[in-house]
């Protein structure tokens, strides 16, 4: 099973890489706003093969063509993304070292001691994409959507069914879903998406929240079920899966993000230039289609807008964590 999960993730990453190369060959890049003078490193603080890594490599390839400089993705795992984030917090603020993180980076400060101040350590650049989250379930679960899961849990009682969480962000989103649905499942912490998705597929845990990207191959192969998705509308990657809103559950409209951050102190002109280049890449129809195909919505927000979202997520996540009584696993 682990081998098949790894192969599925590798297939996504390979397809994204091939797509990026084809797009670069078919469309000459527009004039660049940022002019790096050496290799640019995008740190992905999670394991290779997951959704963040796949999107990071797709973007890195496109930016390499645009900038005429090597752009590498460096996976630095550990501490729920904080190890890689800490490297960027200490890096030279010149745009040559950045981190592509999920919204869990806004949550870590509420659950663990960090070597940096989340609110001030970074210069938010943009949300590259908004991964649509789905509640995955083992194929044998006697429920086909969130409404069915609610009925099942109410019949069996709380904490009889298990929910896997690979990081605080996924845990918080799952708890928000269960809180909205008025049910309680037993949390099972994992380290990394590949292992927990494999265990859901194998039936060792019942459900877990993940990006559509992380589970799409197994959903299409009948080895996972999707009980619903976050957001306000269905997506092309899973046209038959209803949103939680469609199923009658409120407060579950907003997806997380794959956000790019430079170190604090990076000149605003550099931050703006990188954001404009990313936005121009995201405007290429083939690139947008590929992001959507793999279960995400294109980003490209201004640094100001993304910074406001980041700071709001830090605040709101703290309030939610305290209300739900969540602690570090």
């Amino acid at each position: 099973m682990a081998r098949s999960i790894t192969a599925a993730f590798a297939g996504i990453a390979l397809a994204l890489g091939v797509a990026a190369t084809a797009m670069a060959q078919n469309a000459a890049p527009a004039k660049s706003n940022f002019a790096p003078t050496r290799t640019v490193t995008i740190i992905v603080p999670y394991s290779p093969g997951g959704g963040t890594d796949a999107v990071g490599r797709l973007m890195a390839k496109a930016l390499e063509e645009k900038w005429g400089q090597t752009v590498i993705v460096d996976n630095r795992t550990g501490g729920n993304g904080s190890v890689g984030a800490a490297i960027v917090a200490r890096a030279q603020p010149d745009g040559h070292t950045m981190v592509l993180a999920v919204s869990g980076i806004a949550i870590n400060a509420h659950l663990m001691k960090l070597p940096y101040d989340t609110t001030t350590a970074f210069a938010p650049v943009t949300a590259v994409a908004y991964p649509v989250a789905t509640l995955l379930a083992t194929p044998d679960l006697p429920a086909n959507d969130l409404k069915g899961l609610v009925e099942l849990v109410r019949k069996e009682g709380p904490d009889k069914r298990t929910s896997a969480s690979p990081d605080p962000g996924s845990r918080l989103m799952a708890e928000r879903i269960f809180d909205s649905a008025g049910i309680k499942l037993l949390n099972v912490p994992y380290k990394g998406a590949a292992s927990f998705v494999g265990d859901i597929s194998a039936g060792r845990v019942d459900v877990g929240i993940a990006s559509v990207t992380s589970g799409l191959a197994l959903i299409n192969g009948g080895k996972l079920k999707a009980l619903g998705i976050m957001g306000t509308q269905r997506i092309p990657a899973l046209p038959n899966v209803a949103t939680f809103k469609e199923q009658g559950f409120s407060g579950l409209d907003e997806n997380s993000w794959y956000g790019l951050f430079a170190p604090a102190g990076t000149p605003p002109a550099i931050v703006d230039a990188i954001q404009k280049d990313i936005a121009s890449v995201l405007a290429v129809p083939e690139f947008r289609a590929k992001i959507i195909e793999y279960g995400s919505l294109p980003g490209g927000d201004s640094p100001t807008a993304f910074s406001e979202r980041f700071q709001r997520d830090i605040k709101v996540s703290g309030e939610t964590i305290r209300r739900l009584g969540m602690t570090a696993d």
Side-chain angles (χ1 to χ4, degrees), residues 102-189:
V102 299
S103 48
I105 193 176
I107 298 167
N108 287 337
H110 302 294
L111 296 173
M112 57 197 300
K113 188 174 182 179
L114 300 172
Y116 54 83
D117 182 342
T118 304
T119 61
T120 60
F122 307 102
V125 178
T126 191
V128 174
Y130 292 95
V132 176
T134 179
L135 185 61
L136 301 172
T138 181
D140 296 330
L141 186 76
N144 293 316
D145 54 21
L146 181 55
K147 292 174 65 176
L149 179 64
V150 170
E151 294 172 1
L152 180 66
V153 172
R154 287 178 177 171
K155 177 182 177 181
E156 296 178 343
D159 291 332
K160 295 292 192 293
R161 293 289 173 172
T162 52
S163 173
S165 57
D167 56 70
S170 297
R171 168 82 188 281
L172 182 61
M173 189 171 290
E175 294 293 352
R176 283 177 53 207
I177 293 170
F178 303 147
D179 185 55
S180 176
I183 57 176
K184 185 171 172 48
L185 280 72
L186 181 65
N187 179 62
V188 180

Side-chain angles (χ1 to χ4, degrees), residues 16-319:
L16 287 169
V18 170
T21 301
M23 284 184 280
Q25 292 172 343
N26 291 336
K31 185 178 183 297
S32 173
N33 294 281
F34 180 49
T37 58
R38 61 183 187 278
T39 296
V40 174
T41 299
I42 297 177
I43 290 180
V44 171
Y46 317 105
S47 301
T52 316
D53 181 68
V55 170
R57 292 179 187 279
L58 179 66
M59 181 57 68
K61 180 66 178 177
L63 290 175
E64 185 172 275
E65 295 287 340
K66 191 174 191 66
W67 290 339
Q69 287 282 356
T70 301
V71 181
I72 64 171
V73 170
D74 185 5
N75 298 92
R76 297 293 188 98
T77 62
N80 296 317
S82 63
V83 171
I87 294 172
V88 173
R90 299 190 302 266
Q92 287 293 318
D94 57 11
H96 289 79
T97 304
M98 295 175 284
V99 61
L100 182 67
V102 299
S103 48
I105 193 176
I107 298 167
N108 287 337
H110 302 294
L111 296 173
M112 57 197 300
K113 188 174 182 179
L114 300 172
Y116 54 83
D117 182 342
T118 304
T119 61
T120 60
F122 307 102
V125 178
T126 191
V128 174
Y130 292 95
V132 176
T134 179
L135 185 61
L136 301 172
T138 181
D140 296 330
L141 186 76
N144 293 316
D145 54 21
L146 181 55
K147 292 174 65 176
L149 179 64
V150 170
E151 294 172 1
L152 180 66
V153 172
R154 287 178 177 171
K155 177 182 177 181
E156 296 178 343
D159 291 332
K160 295 292 192 293
R161 293 289 173 172
T162 52
S163 173
S165 57
D167 56 70
S170 297
R171 168 82 188 281
L172 182 61
M173 189 171 290
E175 294 293 352
R176 283 177 53 207
I177 293 170
F178 303 147
D179 185 55
S180 176
I183 57 176
K184 185 171 172 48
L185 280 72
L186 181 65
N187 179 62
V188 180
Y190 278 75
K191 293 187 181 299
S195 59
F196 104 99
V197 170
D199 275 8
I200 297 171
S201 177
R204 287 185 278 272
V205 285
D206 294 305
V207 301
I209 196 79
S211 69
V212 169
T213 308
S214 296
L216 186 59
L218 293 174
I219 293 170
N220 290 338
K223 296 180 179 180
L224 284 172
K225 288 196 289 190
L227 303 186
I229 61 170
M230 298 284 285
T232 59
Q233 59 186 12
R234 299 192 187 194
I235 58 173
L238 293 174
N240 298 320
V241 178
T243 66
F244 298 127
K245 183 176 183 178
E246 284 181 272
Q247 297 181 49
F249 301 98
S250 61
L252 303 174
D253 296 346
E254 198 168 63
N255 281 292
S256 61
W257 35 258
Y258 296 139
L260 190 68
F261 298 84
T266 302
I270 291 179
V271 172
D272 289 343
I274 295 172
Q275 181 272 329
K276 285 183 172 63
D277 283 342
I278 290 173
S280 71
V281 169
L282 289 168
V284 176
E286 295 89 350
F287 196 100
R288 292 179 66 84
K290 189 55 61 176
I291 291 285
I292 293 169
E293 178 184 342
Y294 284 96
S296 290
L297 303 174
D301 321 55
S302 71
T304 298
F306 181 48
S307 182
E308 290 173 353
R309 168 72 190 268
F310 180 52
Q311 295 298 332
R312 177 169 60 86
D313 284 356
I314 293 172
K315 179 178 182 291
V316 172
S317 64
E319 294 170 350

